[in-house]
Amino acid sequence: MAAYEILIADDHPLFRSALQQALTMGLGAGVRLVEVASIAELEARLAEKTDWDLVLLDLNMPGAYGFSGLVLLRGQYPQIPVVMISAQEEAAVVLRSREFGASGFIPKSSSLEVIQQAVRQVLEGEVWWPPQSEEAASLSSEAKAASAGLASLTPQQFRVLTMVCEGLLNKQIAYELSVSEATVKAHVTAIFRKLGVRTRTQAALLLQQLESVPAA
């Protein structure tokens, strides 16, 4: 069995190969690294296996709305540590990653040595944060409520929600997911109840709470 099993979720092949190189050098040949390029692929991998040692998650992934991927992971798989990786390195982004439950944050401008150190530290049960200023604004109560609501959704409900926010009709969502329209309606009802909203517009606005980063 591999010493560590790590999921790399990033849609940039070049950065994924840089991470592969850094982690193989830093953790040895025994590490097992699996790459995914979208939230859908990430969910598929997690459905197959839930005992990953770490997920490295790009902030701007296809299928995610800002921090929604992190919130979904923390809600559905709280046992798996998640480290955010992003080219957005502002203190506010780092702070929100922490408040939404990440175990660390690696700026994409980091050296291979820093990436290795950060991952090693989190695998040992600690956290790793870049030496950023702590002056960023904390989460608004609306963002915290949005986070709690999204964390309670099942992966399928989350998929339906993102499709709703992209403007798809129930009929189109049913076709995309190969389920009945009645099933989609039931999902939408459950989603609205969990999020405390009544309309698709309100649901979309709530999801946007996780996209926007307040100015520091």
Side-chain angles (χ1 to χ4, degrees), residues 88-102:
Q88 290 176 253
E89 302 175 13
E90 301 92 344
V93 178
V94 177
L95 181 82
R96 294 199 101 188
S97 298
R98 183 182 299 182
E99 293 205 344
F100 282 132

Side-chain angles (χ1 to χ4, degrees), residues 55-72:
V55 173
L56 293 170
L57 179 65
D58 183 20
L59 178 59
N60 296 304
M61 282 278 285
Y65 286 75
F67 293 93
S68 65
L70 171 60
V71 170
L72 181 74

Side-chain angles (χ1 to χ4, degrees), residues 87-211:
Q88 290 176 253
E89 302 175 13
E90 301 92 344
V93 178
V94 177
L95 181 82
R96 294 199 101 188
S97 298
R98 183 182 299 182
E99 293 205 344
F100 282 132
S103 295
F105 184 98
I106 301 173
K108 284 197 173 181
S109 61
S110 301
S111 65
L112 292 184
E113 292 74 23
V114 167
I115 293 171
Q116 290 163 356
Q117 180 196 348
V119 169
R120 210 176 287 119
Q121 219 161 290
V122 174
L123 287 172
E124 288 170 1
E126 298 177 40
V127 295
W128 192 91
W129 301 99
Q132 301 276 15
S133 77
E134 292 290 329
E135 298 162 9
S138 61
L139 288 182
S140 67
S141 57
E142 290 88 353
K144 284 180 177 169
S147 171
L150 284 170
S152 71
L153 299 181
T154 66
Q156 184 77 329
Q157 286 171 346
F158 182 78
R159 274 192 286 276
V160 171
L161 174 61
T162 57
M163 290 177 174
V164 164
C165 294
E166 285 160 10
L168 272 65
L169 303 173
N170 286 356
K171 186 190 295 183
Q172 294 169 305
I173 296 171
Y175 176 78
E176 289 286 335
L177 297 178
S178 303
V179 297
S180 71
E181 211 172 324
T183 299
V184 174
K185 282 180 182 171
H187 278 319
V188 170
T189 301
I191 290 164
F192 284 9
R193 188 181 69 250
K194 285 181 176 181
L195 299 184
V197 300
R198 294 184 178 184
T199 68
R200 289 171 176 245
T201 304
Q202 288 175 334
L205 288 171
L206 189 136
L207 202 50
Q208 283 169 11
Q209 290 281 341
L210 301 191
E211 280 195 284

